[in-house]
Amino acid sequence: MTSALLEIRNLKKHFPVRKFLKPTAWVKALDGVTLRLEAGRTLAVVGESGCGKSTLAKVLLGIESPTEGEISLEGRASSSLSASEFRRAIQMIFQDPYSSINPRKRAWEIIAEPLRINSSLSRAECKERAVELMRQVGLRPEFAERYPHMFSGGQRQRIGIARALILHPRILICDEPISALDVSIQAQVINLLIALQDELKLAYVFISHDLSVVRHLADEVAVMYLGRLVEHGSRDAVFRKPSHPYTQALLSATPSVQGDRLSQRQAVQGEPPSPLNPPPGCAFHLRCPFAQARCASDVPELREFDPGMNPRLVACHFAEEIAAKASI
Ligand code: SF4
């Protein structure tokens, strides 16, 4: 098998909970996540808050180091890459453009900053590249000298996108990139991301709780629950026949993606358990309408499952039975 652009194998990130400086427990924010991403593709990572998707973004960006597991870029382990090589390959678009840009800098300076830090280009050369990128993301070059407060929310997100692109990354981590924006401009930013992906062959890790956007944008969908993948497959497979009860519940809670069959299902009940004290067995068993005795003791492995022309990976002991019931 050829090397993927990005490969994550058995990634774990456990945070210690300390009492008098000694670790007394561990929060397993990521607990054995394996994923692949090819150039020009979009992998959406979905799940409720606290499922581990933001920790995954931080580990991929090198903000947090993994407790265990491997990340490789085009077959090269991340540990063998310099920080600068890594930064050039993977960049981030933040959820809140307001908090991620310096209010005292001009638009071009904000966009050019990563280039200034990671290259020996002159100020004029950095500015030229920044202005070029402003055009590419749909901002007028004459706005280059303006300060962030002089832009709308959507324009500020375009500044964030231009800054993320200035080092020519191969992968963009998009962490809820439209959730802080006005509904009227969300579609514009999504269309811009699609156009840039096409033009630059970018790969996206798209972190979102908004499944209607995911359905529009993703090639593959990875569903996370309490630090683990519970379902992973192509967008069509996951949206047409969600096989894990948690995925089914997430989809049925999203009105715009309800199909006839999905609309009969229950939205996910209750709150996710504390990651500090997850339940034994299947972490979803306290909320799962299909739970059986085995679910409270045995952790389901992520395994191949095909409910009929829609192969994917799913972590559920009873996926076959649940699919059979759904088709009656
Ligand atoms: Fe529900 Fe059991 Fe499947 Fe977990 S393993 S999702 S509790 S049926």
Side-chain angles (χ1 to χ4, degrees):
M1 194 191 289
T2 54
S3 302
L5 174 59
L6 174 70
E7 211 159 346
I8 303 163
R9 278 183 295 274
N10 194 30
L11 196 66
K12 296 185 181 178
K13 179 64 192 176
H14 298 174
F15 293 101
V17 179
R18 298 178 194 277
K19 199 170 179 187
F20 304 118
L21 299 176
K22 283 194 178 155
T24 53
W26 296 88
V27 171
K28 296 179 177 175
L30 292 177
D31 201 21
V33 171
T34 295
L35 289 167
R36 278 169 71 91
L37 178 62
E38 307 291 345
R41 308 270 295 173
T42 298
L43 167 69
V45 182
V46 303
E48 290 162 296
S49 125
C51 71
K53 52 193 196 306
S54 293
T55 304
L56 176 65
K58 285 182 187 157
V59 174
L60 290 178
L61 287 160
I63 297 169
E64 297 282 358
S65 50
T67 308
E68 211 180 299
E70 276 176 37
I71 302 171
S72 53
L73 285 169
E74 292 179 318
R76 292 177 67 196
S78 61
S79 52
S80 72
L81 298 170
S82 68
S84 158
E85 280 176 299
F86 208 72
R87 258 196 304 277
R88 283 181 177 277
I90 307 185
Q91 285 284 313
M92 172 109 171
I93 300 172
F94 293 89
Q95 177 176 8
D96 181 2
Y98 303 87
S99 65
S100 63
I101 55 183
N102 185 336
R104 286 185 294 277
K105 297 224 166 178
R106 294 177 171 87
W108 80 262
E109 291 173 315
I110 293 165
I111 295 167
E113 195 173 15
L115 195 59
R116 203 179 46 73
I117 296 168
N118 291 285
S119 80
S120 54
L121 293 182
S122 69
R123 188 175 163 83
E125 287 167 325
C126 288
K127 182 172 181 180
E128 194 182 326
R129 175 78 184 119
V131 171
E132 199 181 299
L133 268 170
M134 286 182 73
R135 272 197 206 94
Q136 201 166 4
V137 301
L139 288 169
R140 286 160 61 179
E142 56 267 36
F143 292 172
E145 302 292 336
R146 291 190 178 181
Y147 289 92
H149 72 271
M150 300 162 90
F151 291 94
S152 68
Q155 287 172 325
R156 274 190 282 242
Q157 190 55 294
R158 287 173 194 263
I159 292 174
I161 294 170
R163 183 178 59 176
L165 292 176
I166 201 153
L167 293 177
H168 300 291
R170 311 283 310 280
I171 301 165
L172 283 189
I173 314 273
C174 309
D175 186 5
E176 305 272 9
I178 57 161
S179 60
L181 301 177
D182 202 90
V183 176
S184 60
I185 47 176
Q186 288 183 349
Q188 293 173 16
V189 172
I190 289 296
N191 289 338
L192 173 64
L193 289 173
I194 292 171
L196 289 170
Q197 182 171 50
D198 229 33
E199 205 176 315
L200 306 172
K201 299 287 164 274
L202 289 165
Y204 294 148
V205 177
F206 195 87
I207 293 172
S208 183
H209 69 277
D210 186 340
L211 293 175
S212 43
V213 173
V214 166
R215 183 176 217 181
H216 187 61
L217 202 90
D219 297 299
E220 278 181 51
V221 180
V223 183
M224 289 188 70
Y225 190 76
L226 278 193
R228 287 174 163 249
L229 289 180
V230 295
E231 186 157 2
H232 177 204
S234 72
R235 175 211 30 209
D236 288 349
V238 172
F239 277 88
R240 268 194 212 135
K241 284 200 172 178
S243 295
H244 193 282
Y246 178 61
T247 317
Q248 294 174 353
L250 279 183
L251 290 182
S252 65
T254 307
S256 55
V257 294
Q258 281 181 2
D260 290 347
R261 197 173 291 161
L262 280 178
S263 61
Q264 294 159 16
R265 294 191 182 117
Q266 290 289 306
V268 63
Q269 301 292 319
E271 295 296 317
S274 162
L276 193 52
N277 189 22
C282 173
F284 189 57
H285 82 264
L286 297 173
R287 305 168 83 191
C288 179
F290 305 102
Q292 301 186 33
R294 182 183 171 198
C295 305
S297 56
D298 298 355
V299 177
E301 293 301 322
L302 195 66
R303 62 185 171 95
E304 287 176 15
F305 175 66
D306 186 352
M309 307 295 285
N310 288 290
R312 84 283 311 279
L313 299 170
V314 70
C316 174
H317 298 307
F318 301 107
E320 288 80 0
E321 286 176 31
I322 294 167
K325 275 185 200 155
S327 61
I328 292 170

